[in-house]
Amino acid sequence: VSNETLDGLLLALTALYEQGRLTSVISKKGISTLLSAAFDGRIKNMETLAVYCLDRLCPFHTEGEMIPGKDVPPETAGVMIRRLAEFAGEKISYETQRDLGLLFTQNENAYAWRTPNGEIVSVAKIAYSDSRFADIHSVFTLEEMRNRGYAKALLTGMCERILEAEKIPMLYADRDYAPSNHMYRRLGFTEKA
């Protein structure tokens, strides 16, 4: 990567970071270390992340249903995204919350788990997909609704769709956050890196 390209990348990432829209960078080791240093360690670099791929789905079901992001009220999606950012140690403005909530509802690869009483308790999206893999991203369940199987059920539904498209579900997880790592393993994900 040339210095010119790297300068342009840092400028673009700085703008996203200042808008509260960037909390992690996934890249080759040298670049992620450089970017983490450029942001004074406030952005997680690749060394703190575990890469998981689904080897065999161990389905989990609970009461409720997986719904597409378009069926989630934008205000609700925005609150979920703000709480996810806060959980990651970031603050976002009300305007950013509103904008990200609207983007979630317009994303055809965004999903949520809705309980039988209509409450949205868990969200996730497919960040990108190529001919082999689909990357699940931004998995989040409201703190007060955790340990009830909602994220597992949501991921089961998402993985079933990904597998039907003959792709391999994958995701990144914070190595230091044991609850999510445990859940991914129970669903059939295996750490690859």
Side-chain angles (χ1 to χ4, degrees), residues 46-135:
M46 192 164 187
E47 290 79 29
T48 68
L49 298 175
V51 180
Y52 285 94
C53 287
L54 187 72
D55 285 335
R56 175 181 60 89
L57 181 62
C58 303
F60 183 87
H61 300 284
T62 191
E63 289 189 15
E65 63 181 331
M66 182 175 84
I67 61 170
K70 68 180 180 64
D71 292 345
V72 177
E75 301 79 24
T76 301
V79 168
M80 295 288 286
I81 292 166
R82 177 183 51 78
R83 291 186 66 182
L84 170 61
E86 289 172 353
F87 185 75
E90 299 293 326
K91 298 281 186 204
I92 62 173
S93 68
Y94 173 77
E95 293 78 19
T96 301
Q97 172 184 317
R98 184 191 65 226
D99 294 345
L100 293 176
L102 188 59
L103 285 173
F104 182 89
T105 64
Q106 296 169 350
N107 183 341
E108 65 184 31
N109 293 313
Y111 299 92
W113 191 262
R114 182 169 56 197
T115 65
N117 68 3
E119 187 176 3
I120 304 298
V121 294
S122 192
V123 294
K125 64 181 179 178
I126 299 170
Y128 75 86
S129 183
D130 62 21
S131 61
R132 289 189 61 207
F133 297 98
D135 177 22

